[in-house]
């Protein structure tokens, strides 16, 4: 049982973490901290949090007093500033984690902001999300059956890592472990690159002189392919820049693949095209089959 | 009211056309022709067609006798062979149309196969599809509110074009007109290129040494982005080759766009990235809003 959890940013991610911990009876008190007084008031009204902390001193010291777990779920651009603000007031027994989509940059920011207290920071990334946001979007079952990747630091104690892992498990999540570098390489390939590609395609089409004609005939395949281009441009600008080295590597590999396919298409090499298409279809089918099995709730009583 | 409709290939596309015409009371008799005796028997059993034609002579002559509309809905690779087979038996009053995803190549095949009778061929492309196939997949409402693009030839009479258009309208579809070249350019951009890009991404990931690790963390965004890579490799090989010139043009434009984005990412130019992402998000949002309005059923009594 956690005594006091402090959550920076009580929207979909932070608010759902709070709701899930409460539903599991895994926490005594949750304090929310955020820049929007209206959001904090709403989170309090909805019962997501028990108290509102304020960002300035000495209020932040009071909010953190007695905390055993701190989650950063505000926009990632604020991560370093929040860590710097809490560093002087962080109790020795508290563990800090985050929910950012990139990890190498967060680790670098944490080292700068926390200095000698960086051992208390266990970086994390819950692989869950929806297109909604704000306290009203928070639900108690967002993380059931979902992965949370922890990218622990060499300085972290096993007990601190376990405290973060146990909190996420109480929310129904499944814990995975990667290094920050592995994490960023993996997500550059399966998430960040597809976002860039989808944005690029829609922008490319939208800039053509006959864009209206083109959009008129775009159908369900185009809709699915470009769904992620409906995501927040600011958030994905930040993620692209934060994971720039790994994203460039994946983009270069993909452009090389496109050049190869272009040569095959130009040569009219149908057999070569079909090999690529078939391999992709087969791999995707295997993947879908595997995730449909793996993403089932871990046990029936934890399901919604 | 059509007297006799002959459909080559009574799967999702041909069978749904048959069911919709029957539901609308727009046809007296439908004859199905196909290479699979089992599929034809099933289509007959399901009441999709009233009789089965056989492909050899003189049966084909009998099947076409008295026909006023012929739809080719077999795999596009068979188009030229079917047209060549029916050419000697095509009644002067019959109009032939097709359902192929590319049109310039179909027009060229029709000119070769039909010769002087090419005026009786009105090329078409219904923009509808599902992931199922065969006679059991056929439904009477597949085309309600969907677009059918007719790419009429200079030789077509206005009456023949109208006969094809009226049949599709009876199925609930909305008729659009493009030239074969316009059609192929449009679909290269909004359909054929996205398919190639999705296949390329999944194949690229599947060939990496750490593919298993990557697929393990792929989530819903990846699932949507790559959904079209689950399509038939043979069909998309054929479409890629059939529309090779337009597809190469679109692929080149897209690769140029990626090179530009790569330069911006490498330079850390967040403002430029955000402009592309924002433009894409805005264009996609406008498009979704427009299609949600346009794809509503044309009138309530035609809805399912």
């Amino acid at each position: 049982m956690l005594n006091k959890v402090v959550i920076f940013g009580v929207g979909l991610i932070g608010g759902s973490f709070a709701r899930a911990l409460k539903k599991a009876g895994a926490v005594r008190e949750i304090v929310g901290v955020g820049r929007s007084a209206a959001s904090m008031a709403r989170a309090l009204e909805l019962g997501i949090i028990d108290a509102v902390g304020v960002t300035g001193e000495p209020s932040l010291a009071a909010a953190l007093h007695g905390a055993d777990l701190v989650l950063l779920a505000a926009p990632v651009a604020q991560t370093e500033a929040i860590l710097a603000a809490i560093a002087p007031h962080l109790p020795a027994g508290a563990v800090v984690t985050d929910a950012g989509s990139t990890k190498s940059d967060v680790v670098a920011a944490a080292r700068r902001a926390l200095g000698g207290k960086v051992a208390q920071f266990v970086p994390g990334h819950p692989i869950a999300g929806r297109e909604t946001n704000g306290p009203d979007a928070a639900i108690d079952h967002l993380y059931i059956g979902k992965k949370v990747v922890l990218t622990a630091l060499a300085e972290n104690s096993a007990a601190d890592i376990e405290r973060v892992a146990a909190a996420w498990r109480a929310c129904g999540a499944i814990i995975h472990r990667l290094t920050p570098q592995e994490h960023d390489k993996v997500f550059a390939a399966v998430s960040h690159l597809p976002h860039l590609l989808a944005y690029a395609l829609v922008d490319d089409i939208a800039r053509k002189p006959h864009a209206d004609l083109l959009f008129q005939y775009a159908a369900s395949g185009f809709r699915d392919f470009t769904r992620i281009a409906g995501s927040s441009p600011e958030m994905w600008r930040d993620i692209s820049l934060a994971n720039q080295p790994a994203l460039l590597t994946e983009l270069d590999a993909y452009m090389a693949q496109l050049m190869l396919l272009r040569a095959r298409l130009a040569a009219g090499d149908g057999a070569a095209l079909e090999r690529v298409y078939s391999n992709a279809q087969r791999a995707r089918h295997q993947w879908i089959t595997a995730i449909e099995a793996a993403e089932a709730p871990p046990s029936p009583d934890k399901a919604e």
Side-chain angles (χ1 to χ4, degrees), chain A:
Chain A
M1 166 77 100
L2 294 160
N3 177 52
K4 184 179 182 181
V5 171
V6 180
I7 302 179
F8 287 79
V10 191
L12 174 70
I13 297 298
S16 295
F17 181 74
R19 281 200 182 279
L21 285 181
K22 290 199 162 199
K23 192 180 185 196
V27 59
R28 193 185 61 76
E29 182 191 13
I30 298 182
V31 178
V33 184
R35 294 193 301 187
S36 159
S39 284
M40 290 299 120
R42 181 64 181 151
L44 197 60
E45 183 183 19
L46 290 166
I48 297 173
I49 55 177
D50 305 300
V52 175
V54 180
T55 49
E57 304 190 39
S59 309
L60 198 54
L64 291 166
H65 181 75
D68 32 25
L69 183 64
V70 179
L71 171 70
L72 272 56
V76 284
Q78 300 175 30
T79 300
E80 186 163 355
I82 294 172
L83 288 172
I86 67 177
H89 314 293
L90 195 63
V95 184
V96 183
T97 188
D98 79 313
S101 304
T102 54
K103 296 270 70 78
S104 300
D105 66 312
V106 165
V107 169
R111 291 194 185 283
R112 286 191 299 266
L114 294 176
K117 292 186 177 177
V118 79
Q120 290 174 254
F121 180 65
V122 179
H125 176 199
I127 317 302
R130 302 194 168 199
E131 287 174 21
T132 50
N133 216 330
D136 286 281
I139 50 178
D140 62 20
H141 54 282
L142 182 65
Y143 302 113
I144 291 179
K146 295 297 192 298
K147 297 181 184 72
V148 171
V149 182
L150 299 184
T151 64
L153 309 179
E155 295 92 331
N156 293 149
S157 73
D160 283 356
I161 298 169
E162 177 52 27
R163 190 183 303 170
V164 175
W168 282 115
R169 278 196 298 264
C171 299
I174 300 157
I175 302 298
H176 289 242
R177 298 277 301 267
L178 293 173
T179 68
Q181 294 72 29
E182 285 170 340
H183 172 280
D184 287 355
K185 195 175 163 181
V186 165
F187 286 90
V190 301
S191 172
H192 309 168
L193 178 63
H195 276 80
L196 184 146
L197 298 179
Y199 281 127
L201 182 72
V202 180
D203 179 68
D204 184 39
I205 288 177
R207 288 177 193 279
K208 289 183 197 275
H210 55 304
D212 287 351
L213 182 70
L214 295 175
F215 280 121
Q216 195 180 345
Y217 293 102
S220 61
F222 185 84
R223 196 185 316 202
D224 288 342
F225 184 85
T226 62
R227 193 179 311 276
I228 50 183
S231 309
S232 158
E234 299 77 17
M235 178 178 153
W236 284 94
R237 172 202 64 200
D238 290 345
I239 290 174
S240 301
L241 294 176
N243 202 18
Q244 187 217 53
L247 182 52
L248 283 173
T249 300
E250 294 303 325
L251 179 56
D252 287 345
Y254 184 71
M255 288 197 294
Q257 161 87 327
L258 287 188
M259 286 303 295
L260 197 62
L261 264 181
R262 193 209 183 278
R264 288 162 170 175
L265 178 61
D269 188 347
L273 288 180
E274 190 182 349
R275 276 196 301 276
V276 171
Y277 294 2
S278 293
N279 187 50
Q281 188 207 36
R282 188 170 46 244
R284 187 176 188 281
H285 180 74
Q286 286 174 354
W287 169 66
I288 290 284
T289 307
I291 52 167
E292 279 174 357
E295 284 196 351
S299 68
D301 60 329
K302 283 196 176 171
E304 188 182 2

